Amino acid sequence: WWFDSWSDGGDAEHAVYGRPVQDAQTVTALYVPATVVTVLTEPFGLKVTIDGSDTWPSPNFIWGVGSTHQLTAPAEQTGKSGRRYAFRGWSDGVESASREIAAAEGLRLAARYELLGRLTVDSTPAGQTIRVAGQPCVTPCTLDRAAGTQIALEAPASIPAGGATRLDFRWWDDQAPRERVWTFSTEARRVAAIYQIMHRVDAAADPAEGAGFLFDPPSDDGYYPAGTRLRVVAAPQPGFAFK
C-alpha cells in the first residue's frame, strides 16, 4: 500500500489541532494499492531526473497506482567513461525528454541514449589555432557529435611564431589535405596537424652596394626549415673585394 493523502488535506507529516465540537474528530490516512515502476537508461548507468532528483539508489520505485510523477532525461550527458551521450527517446516511443507518467502495474521505462563520436583536434607543436566547423579551435580541442555528422577542418598554411620564425603546415598525421572534411563515427579519434618550424635567413653587405648573395638551396621568401644546411656566397660587385 502507498500513502496517498490525509482526509484533511494536510501533508504526510503535519499537526492536527482539536476543534471545539461535540462530536468526535476523525482524520484518516488514505492509501492506494502500490506497484513497482522501473525507470532506467540505455545504456545503464546514466541519469534521469525523477520528481526533481537524479540521485536514486535503485531504478525501481514503489508508487501508488495512478499517482503521477515527472521524468526528465537530459538532452546530453557524460557517462562514467567520460564519453558524451545524446537522448534519442523513451522505450515506449515518446520522444519528448520531459514527460509525466501515471504509475501502473508492470510499468517499465528506459531513456534511450546514443553514444556520440569524439574527435580531438591536435597539432605539433600544440597550442595552434585551427578552424573546426568554421570556428577557431586552439589545439588540442575535443568535439562530440552524432555518428555520421560531417565537419570541416582547415589548418592554416602558415602561422607566425614571432620574430623571423614561422610555422608552415606539412600534413595531417593521417596524410589528409590541409582543408578536409571529417565524418564522425561512434569511436573516439584524434588527428593532428604537423607543422615545420621555419627561420628566415637575412644577409647584408657593408657597404650595402658592395655585394650580392647566392643561397644554396634557394628560397623564394628567405625562409628555411629548421636544421637546413645552407651555403651562402657573397658575390662582390664591380669595384669591391670581399674582406
Side-chain angles (χ1 to χ4, degrees), residues 121 129-138 141 143 145 150-155 179-182 184:
V121 181
T129 299
I130 292 175
R131 294 194 70 80
V132 177
Q135 300 298 319
C137 149
V138 179
C141 59
L143 299 91
R145 299 287 190 275
Q150 292 187 325
I151 61 171
L153 304 179
E154 181 181 350
E179 297 183 21
R180 61 184 301 183
V181 174
W182 180 269
F184 283 83

Side-chain angles (χ1 to χ4, degrees), residues 2-241:
W2 190 77
F3 174 75
D4 180 69
S5 62
W6 286 100
S7 58
D8 63 356
D11 295 332
E13 182 177 342
H14 72 288
V16 176
Y17 299 94
R19 299 191 302 272
V21 296
Q22 294 180 349
D23 297 331
Q25 181 178 338
T26 301
V27 181
T28 303
L30 305 178
Y31 281 79
V32 296
T35 187
V36 176
V37 175
T38 301
V39 181
L40 39 73
T41 62
E42 296 176 0
F44 186 78
L46 301 178
K47 291 185 177 294
V48 173
T49 299
I50 302 172
D51 294 335
S53 174
D54 63 2
T55 305
W56 301 99
S58 167
N60 300 312
F61 299 85
I62 301 177
W63 289 331
V65 173
S67 62
T68 57
H69 303 272
Q70 187 67 36
L71 309 183
T72 301
E76 287 191 15
Q77 58 179 303
T78 302
K80 293 181 180 179
S81 66
R83 296 289 302 277
R84 297 285 295 173
Y85 292 82
F87 176 73
R88 289 295 180 258
W90 296 91
S91 55
D92 62 353
V94 174
E95 296 181 356
S96 175
S98 295
R99 61 183 299 187
E100 185 177 84
I101 63 169
E105 186 71 30
L107 180 60
R108 178 185 177 92
L109 286 175
R112 290 176 170 166
Y113 280 81
E114 175 187 47
L115 177 64
L116 296 179
R118 171 164 289 184
L119 173 64
T120 299
V121 181
D122 207 345
S123 66
T124 302
Q128 309 309 315
T129 299
I130 292 175
R131 294 194 70 80
V132 177
Q135 300 298 319
C137 149
V138 179
T139 60
C141 59
T142 300
L143 299 91
D144 297 294
R145 299 287 190 275
T149 301
Q150 292 187 325
I151 61 171
L153 304 179
E154 181 181 350
S158 183
I159 302 173
T165 301
R166 73 185 187 204
L167 302 175
D168 282 0
F169 176 82
R170 295 186 67 189
W171 55 65
W172 291 94
D173 58 1
D174 60 355
Q175 308 301 312
R178 187 175 63 84
E179 297 183 21
R180 61 184 301 183
V181 174
W182 180 269
T183 302
F184 283 83
S185 67
T186 57
E187 299 177 351
R189 299 285 302 278
R190 173 189 177 276
V191 291
I194 310 301
Y195 279 85
Q196 170 72 59
I197 298 175
M198 306 287 289
H199 298 301
R200 188 181 71 235
V201 177
D202 296 318
D206 181 17
E209 67 276 13
F213 297 93
L214 301 175
F215 294 89
D216 182 21
S219 170
D220 292 337
D221 57 6
Y223 280 87
Y224 292 88
T228 298
R229 293 185 62 85
L230 178 63
R231 181 172 182 268
V232 183
V233 177
Q237 297 296 314
F240 292 89

